Amino acid sequence: MNADNPPGISSADRMMLVETFVRIVDAGSLSAAARLLETTQPTVSRRLKALEKSLGVRLLQRSTHAMKLTDDGMRCYARAKELLAGWQEFESEIRGAGDEPVGLLRVIAPHAFGQQQLVAPLAEYLKRYPRMTVEWTLHDRVPDLIGQGIDCVIRVGEDPPPDMVALRLGDVPRIVVAAPGLLEGMPVPDHPDALPALPWISASNFYRDQVTLTHAQDGRSTQLAIRPRLYTDNLYALRNAAVMGVGVALGSSWALREELDSGRLVQLVPQWQAAPLPIWLIYPPARFYPARLRRFIDIMRVAVPQAFGIAPLD
């Protein structure tokens, strides 16, 4: 009997068991790990038991409502992560850095950007790599990337979670706009002092009852208390309501350009802007990143600034 290879378990099988164990811990449950591995919960449970038997230790303590690592499990998990990363790095070196991505990329993007501005670079990615499939989910929250098996998230605005890798793709300017009819024949305001007297639309995920504007030339800032008649967390709803004369809106310049060009909206206080919104590409830290993610990052670093008409960041 070979002590290094327990009977009935090949080296390839043992690597599969190790990967299953890591996925269980990362995902937080056997059922979540089964979804990530595209298999069944009983299969994941059998693999865990096989690994525990081959190692001769208990790795997880499980109850109806909780799961936690044993002391042996914590040591095994740390080493298993290193083994998997090393194996993936080895495969990448053997295949070459220029390997073509194959498989499924899971991406979460903001509702507004993800259905308009980012579709073109997404289409470019799929055209360039025909063996790839993308799961393109639109919502504005940063999920549990590891637990849900998400490769990366594109996020606008808030700082990214500190335990994630975050690549800043650019900054989107924000301007103040309104429908011409809302002004009732008065001159277009050129100073923020005139804005609090007007009704407003609040982009509730970025501002609610006050806004801060900064002068483009001299850097002066002023904070305004506003009176919203409508609160919304959707950029398109905000834009459409502004066109209909519901109130003044503060929004991303790219989303308002067509309405400004057509005269359906006018820019108020044109020398003043709100702080631009950073665009982040967020993904979990790792020693090795698969080709599917690396190639997607390469495309987005170039395409996102182009799509929004903004300068790329170094």
Side-chain angles (χ1 to χ4, degrees):
M1 181 185 299
N2 187 338
D4 292 332
N5 288 284
I9 302 180
S10 69
S11 295
D13 289 338
R14 290 165 71 191
M15 185 59 71
M16 177 186 65
L17 300 183
V18 168
E19 181 181 7
T20 299
F21 170 60
V22 170
R23 297 293 175 256
I24 292 170
V25 177
D26 287 345
S29 71
L30 272 66
S31 58
R35 290 193 295 273
L36 293 177
L37 295 167
E38 298 182 346
T39 187
T40 64
Q41 183 173 334
T43 297
V44 169
S45 180
R46 284 194 299 270
R47 291 178 186 174
L48 174 61
K49 290 177 182 177
L51 181 62
E52 289 179 328
K53 183 177 180 181
S54 71
L55 296 175
V57 296
R58 188 72 176 270
L59 300 174
L60 292 172
Q61 294 284 358
R62 287 185 287 158
S63 65
T64 305
H65 303 293
M67 180 189 77
K68 68 175 183 177
L69 288 164
T70 64
D71 291 341
D72 289 324
M74 286 189 285
R75 288 193 295 271
C76 179
Y77 174 71
R79 187 71 181 104
K81 292 277 282 189
E82 293 177 2
L83 285 171
L84 284 179
W87 177 257
Q88 291 169 336
E89 189 172 359
F90 165 75
E91 284 186 323
S92 178
E93 289 175 359
I94 296 301
R95 291 174 181 170
D99 56 328
E100 180 184 355
V102 177
L104 175 66
L105 182 77
R106 293 184 172 95
V107 183
I108 291 181
H111 268 292
F113 295 172
Q115 60 185 298
Q116 184 170 332
Q117 299 301 107
L118 298 181
V119 173
L122 170 63
E124 178 186 347
Y125 175 81
L126 290 169
K127 182 178 180 180
R128 189 178 298 182
Y129 305 113
R131 300 173 67 188
M132 280 301 306
T133 300
V134 175
E135 185 177 295
W136 188 251
T137 303
L138 303 184
H139 64 67
D140 298 311
R141 305 179 305 277
V142 174
D144 177 3
L145 274 71
I146 295 174
Q148 297 182 30
I150 305 300
D151 290 288
C152 64
V153 172
I154 299 171
R155 187 183 191 186
V156 177
E158 296 180 19
D159 290 340
D163 58 341
M164 292 288 133
V165 179
L167 176 64
R168 193 164 180 166
L169 301 177
D171 295 319
V172 178
R174 290 187 296 161
I175 59 176
V176 182
V177 299
L182 186 73
L183 301 177
E184 298 180 340
M186 65 179 284
V188 175
D190 59 6
H191 193 279
D193 287 349
L195 300 181
L198 298 170
W200 274 74
I201 305 166
S202 169
S204 55
N205 45 344
F206 295 115
Y207 66 90
R208 290 187 62 85
D209 302 307
Q210 62 182 26
V211 296
T212 300
L213 300 177
T214 301
H215 195 274
Q217 268 69 50
D218 59 28
R220 286 176 294 143
S221 291
T222 183
Q223 190 173 80
L224 310 173
I226 59 174
R227 297 177 301 136
R229 299 194 61 211
L230 172 66
Y231 294 89
T232 179
D233 64 354
N234 184 276
L235 179 59
Y236 292 140
L238 177 133
R239 180 189 66 188
N240 295 339
V243 169
M244 295 175 187
V246 173
V248 177
L250 174 63
S252 300
S253 57
W254 70 267
L256 305 168
R257 182 56 51 201
E258 184 177 335
E259 284 67 28
L260 289 167
D261 291 343
S262 69
R264 287 177 289 178
L265 292 175
V266 294
Q267 183 176 353
L268 312 187
V269 294
Q271 295 299 313
W272 298 76
Q273 294 184 352
L277 295 178
I279 306 174
W280 302 97
L281 196 150
I282 302 166
Y283 48 95
R287 287 180 56 192
F288 168 83
Y289 296 103
R292 66 179 185 273
L293 178 59
R294 298 197 310 270
R295 301 296 181 264
F296 183 78
I297 292 172
D298 290 343
I299 286 178
M300 288 294 163
R301 291 186 73 149
V302 175
V304 167
Q306 291 178 346
F308 293 101
I310 56 180
L313 298 179
D314 296 331

